Amino acid sequence: MSESETPPDESSDGVEITAEVDSVDSTSATVARSASLAEVVSEPREILEKQKFETDFDLYERLLEIDPELAGTVRAQAQMASGFHLTHPTTEGDQEEPTEDDAEALKDCQQMVQDLDLDLSQPSMFKYMIAMGNDVSKIVYKDGTGITGLQSLPLRSLTIIDEKTKPEIERAFAAAKKEAKTADADDEIDLTTYTDNIPDAVVQSADYYLLNEGTEDMKTIEAWKILHLGTERRGNWFTDKFGRKTYGVWGAPRIEPTKFALQAKHNTLTNKVAMDDSLIAREIYHIDVATLFGHISNDDLREDKAKKYASDLKETLEGMKPDEKPILPNEVTVDVQGPEGKAKEHGDFLDLMNDSIMHALTFNVSGVGRDAGGPYIGNRPAKDSSLNNVRHLRETMGRQLRKLFRMHLLLKHPEWRAEMPDKEDISTWKLRDDIVLPTVEWSNLEDGDVERIVNSATKAYEAKLITRNEGREMIGLDPVPDEQLDRMFQDQRMNMEIQDEFNRRQQERQQENEPDETDDDSDEDEASLARVASTRPEEASTRRGDQLNGPFRDDLVVALDDAVTKLTATLSQEDT
């Protein structure tokens, strides 16, 4: 094995071990050992500052690997966004019942979701949508069967071109292949020739996806065979690994604004550990020279022997791993000393950097059980912003899923095809107008969603903006016939009128009568009657007649009659 092939010394594990002889005399000696961690923790800074990344996606992927706060935030938001089921529009309150074809379309799409494991793939898709701004998959299909798979494509190996760029890419590829053959190179493609000949025009439409561009394995995939989940494409400039500019083609990576915060955070951690290096606890080995070499009577000889022993111990300690301990005689004891000082803490600054990451990802920290402070962290506006971001991600995925449903039904049911202008391009096929695609229904983001929806529906109904059944639909309830709704509202309002009138009469009676010994029993009777009146007005009236005197009973009956008359008149006006 040559010198260049000599494997690195694995015993150090990146940790520098140092030992030194502190003192030696004829009676005692001291050897100290310490471990430096600066080289280990400096890795994040080296990664962010010096290592070259072929694409931005490589950098973003690495950031997710080395920063736990970033990875945890992205993972939590991706899991929050996941969760959906399919329904058919005709089952959401419409009078029209689903046709047999509609029911079959819904069943086929539900089966496709199950076969593709989309429920399990959602967190991964949302993760790349959040962090990278894009998740790209190739659609695998078979005519007569439908969509059979989604093949995830690595973003670092993917580029996008438009229709105008494609011919020039093909010419550049041919020229590079010819140059490599002429030069008798090992590679089939001369990358320099290819890069020099590719066009520099801005790509403004995603017509073709190139996998492994500039290599002999380059594959061109038509856009309709791709499921591209991209966030905020409109107005987004992106430069691919060949220096080609694109506009409105790639999604906007949300990690982009956090690069400075991440770099500053890791540099701060590296510098702090470097400052604390001298403060790391040390192992102090105390050698009892008088006992260990007590058989030597001459002090000078005993001191020379102690120096030799301390020097050997120093070399032994330097050659050992941090977790290894030497076997020593009883005359040598070990004392672990803690740091004598303390470097400056940077907790507030690191919290600020972590908050910056969450702000860039529009994620509310209270959703993961932490409140880091700040003007919007942990409060309702921040939470609403976080939920709105998740809804945007869901809407983006939902639209692309409907593209899958349409393609699946066209492939699986040839009889449902209305037009086929190009038999080789499924994107030109038309689905029959009477076939309705299923809709994607997402799960509630939080328990408070239901309460907020109910409050919104109530306010909209009170403002006469929606009907009662439209309000029920908003909170996920089935419609109820008008006659049943009228009875529900009539019973509720009648109970309220009775209760209000009873409370008013009781208050007047209490003001007129002086309190006596029977007040406790009377109050108990009144409370019992109030409970009955809220549910069974007729029984309450009967019991009241048995318990109260004649004048009060007559007044109550008149009041109940007035309340019922007013309620009936109000309902009649609403019906007209």
Side-chain angles (χ1 to χ4, degrees), residues 44 79 106 117 189 286 289-290 335 359 370 482 510-511 543:
Q79 292 174 349
L106 176 60
D117 288 332
I189 301 297
H286 301 282
V289 176
D335 181 23
H359 277 301
R370 185 173 74 88
D482 292 339
Q510 290 175 350
Q511 293 176 353
R543 289 179 58 182

Side-chain angles (χ1 to χ4, degrees), residues 36-76:
S36 173
L37 304 179
E39 296 299 324
V40 177
V41 298
S42 64
E43 180 184 0
R45 182 169 64 177
E46 297 297 323
I47 290 175
L48 293 179
E49 290 185 354
K50 296 182 179 179
Q51 183 172 334
K52 300 298 182 181
F53 295 93
E54 185 177 359
T55 67
D56 286 344
F57 295 124
D58 293 331
L59 172 60
Y60 303 148
E61 187 71 34
R62 188 58 181 159
L63 291 175
L64 283 174
E65 293 177 358
I66 65 175
D67 191 278
E69 191 82 12
L70 175 65
T73 301
V74 172
R75 181 169 57 252

